[in-house]
Amino acid sequence: MSCGTGSRPGSSPRVRARPKFLETLPPPPQALPTFAQEIAPPDLSPWLTDHCGIPGVVHHEATRPGPHVVLTALVHGNEFAGAIVLDRLLREQVRPACGRLSLVFANLEAFARFTPDNPVASRFVEEDMNRVWNRQILSSPRHSVELDRARAILPVIETADILMDLHSMLWPGAPLILAGATESGRRLSTMIGDPPLVVSDHGHQAGPRLIDYERFSDPASPYAACLLEAGAHWATHTVETTDSAVRALLRHCGLLIAEAEPPATPSHQLVVTDIVTAQTPCFRFVRPFQGGEVIRRRGTLLAQDGPDEIRTPYPDCMLVMPNLRPGRGQTAVRLARTLPSRSP
């Protein structure tokens, strides 16, 4: 079994089936499609010098007290829409009206390796930087490019009151905010209100994300974090979605004063009930699903994973960020249902 985080009534989405003969043969390798690239990597050279003791990290502090807000981009080196927005804020000389604002360009070595000819190759250098965020891993004797960089920026993370981690998607899907498993993350995400789709989840089997770090994931902690998935990696609209969400967060925290604050968009809140992990190299979806797609009927076949069928375990099941080419051990899709409304 590869799914089952969270609580969910009903059967598992993974059903053992008797495969047909052709399904027992190794599938032919599937090449990645060609992805449109509407944006180019930003020039970050002004921000890579030692501004505050850590290259690629810029702080600005107001005279008035307030929260320490941390914005992180480039945790994955080929997801640079967030870096474009942070670069934009720095070039506009945006300063916090209160508190402290830290802008972090995380995986600089992976970003430096980006090439339009193979844009997916620079996600990381040695390991996924968004799977190393717990104290045991960070304090271990192990080294990698990503782990060492995580240790370098850890002092900033350890002082954050509010953190937003800026990401984008390889496969098509509706923009969303991942709130993690805590009430504080969900509350922060819904208060931002842009994008309005908020998904509570429990992360990945492969390791903890930045928003899962103990400072933010402890239910008793006063600190909060969320992860923005703003759209397709290299699309112009992803930059604008990121910009809108970042400025909404800064307004919400009081760091950015707007003359006329736009009305909040009602959020659509969901909770992930199952994380489907590919158990074999033969995982195949029955069709190219998109993130945010809602499957109305329970028991609808989504994918075949070796001898297992992956079916929707309940009606009105939302597919969260399906990975149409998952490797063995990778998250293939998360299944989510609408969070029940709470009584006032």
Side-chain angles (χ1 to χ4, degrees):
M1 297 295 295
S2 63
C3 8
T5 59
S7 58
R8 168 188 49 77
S11 59
S12 167
R14 187 175 289 271
V15 179
R16 180 56 54 92
R18 177 174 295 179
K20 300 176 182 178
F21 171 71
L22 289 178
E23 294 170 342
T24 66
L25 300 176
Q30 292 187 329
L32 287 171
T34 300
F35 296 99
Q37 298 179 46
E38 301 171 358
I39 58 175
D43 174 16
L44 302 181
S45 57
W47 325 120
L48 303 186
T49 54
D50 195 345
H51 285 268
C52 61
I54 309 172
V57 179
V58 182
H59 298 299
H60 291 299
E61 191 160 358
T63 56
R64 292 173 51 211
H68 180 196
V69 176
V70 175
L71 301 173
T72 54
L74 296 178
V75 166
H76 295 136
N78 62 343
E79 300 180 22
F80 49 77
I84 291 174
V85 171
L86 298 194
D87 176 66
R88 182 183 291 176
L89 294 177
L90 289 166
R91 293 180 188 276
E92 291 176 3
Q93 299 186 356
V94 170
R95 298 292 185 268
C98 66
R100 186 180 187 187
L101 176 63
S102 295
L103 309 179
V104 179
F105 300 100
N107 198 338
L108 294 174
E109 287 204 39
F111 173 67
R113 299 185 183 203
F114 178 83
T115 170
D117 294 335
N118 190 6
V120 300
S122 57
R123 179 177 170 88
F124 54 81
V125 179
E126 294 182 273
E127 64 178 314
D128 192 327
M129 192 177 182
N130 218 23
R131 303 292 184 270
V132 302
W133 291 96
N134 72 25
R135 298 187 194 280
Q136 183 176 359
I137 295 174
L138 291 167
S139 62
S140 72
R142 185 167 65 82
H143 289 274
S144 72
V145 168
E146 281 74 23
L147 192 49
D148 290 346
R149 179 60 174 169
R151 291 171 179 138
I153 66 175
L154 184 59
V156 182
I157 306 304
E158 288 280 22
T159 60
D161 298 311
I162 294 170
L163 180 142
M164 177 184 272
D165 191 18
L166 307 176
H167 287 259
S168 52
M169 307 172 183
L170 180 62
W171 302 103
L176 57 88
I177 302 177
L178 292 174
T182 63
E183 177 65 23
S184 62
R186 186 173 67 85
R187 188 164 55 247
L188 172 65
S189 302
T190 56
M191 286 179 175
I192 294 169
D194 183 14
L197 184 59
V198 174
V199 179
S200 299
D201 72 337
H202 292 261
H204 296 271
Q205 288 185 348
R209 304 163 298 185
L210 178 52
I211 66 168
D212 302 321
Y213 186 58
E214 287 94 324
R215 182 173 180 84
F216 311 113
S217 61
D218 183 348
S221 172
Y223 313 115
C226 63
L227 186 159
L228 174 68
E229 293 283 2
H233 284 336
W234 308 295
T236 302
H237 66 78
T238 301
V239 175
E240 301 316 314
T241 297
T242 303
D243 188 281
S244 177
V246 163
R247 293 176 195 268
L249 172 71
L250 296 179
R251 287 194 301 269
H252 165 68
C253 298
L255 274 68
L256 187 64
I257 305 301
E259 294 183 2
E261 188 167 334
T265 304
S267 62
H268 179 198
Q269 300 178 44
L270 298 103
V271 59
V272 169
T273 60
D274 297 275
I275 299 174
V276 178
T277 303
Q279 295 293 309
T280 76
C282 306
F283 192 103
R284 294 291 183 270
F285 285 99
V286 297
R287 65 174 175 85
F289 293 102
Q290 291 198 12
E293 191 169 342
V294 176
I295 309 302
R296 298 300 179 188
R297 295 185 60 182
R298 174 183 178 181
T300 299
L301 181 65
L302 301 176
Q304 188 86 32
D305 188 9
D308 292 350
E309 293 178 342
I310 310 301
R311 293 181 176 272
T312 50
Y314 42 78
D316 297 326
C317 178
M318 178 176 283
L319 309 185
V320 178
M321 297 179 63
N323 176 0
L324 301 185
R325 298 286 192 280
R328 185 174 183 177
Q330 293 182 336
T331 298
V333 66
R334 284 164 277 192
L335 308 180
R337 71 189 320 167
T338 299
L339 197 66
S341 58
R342 300 187 177 186
S343 302

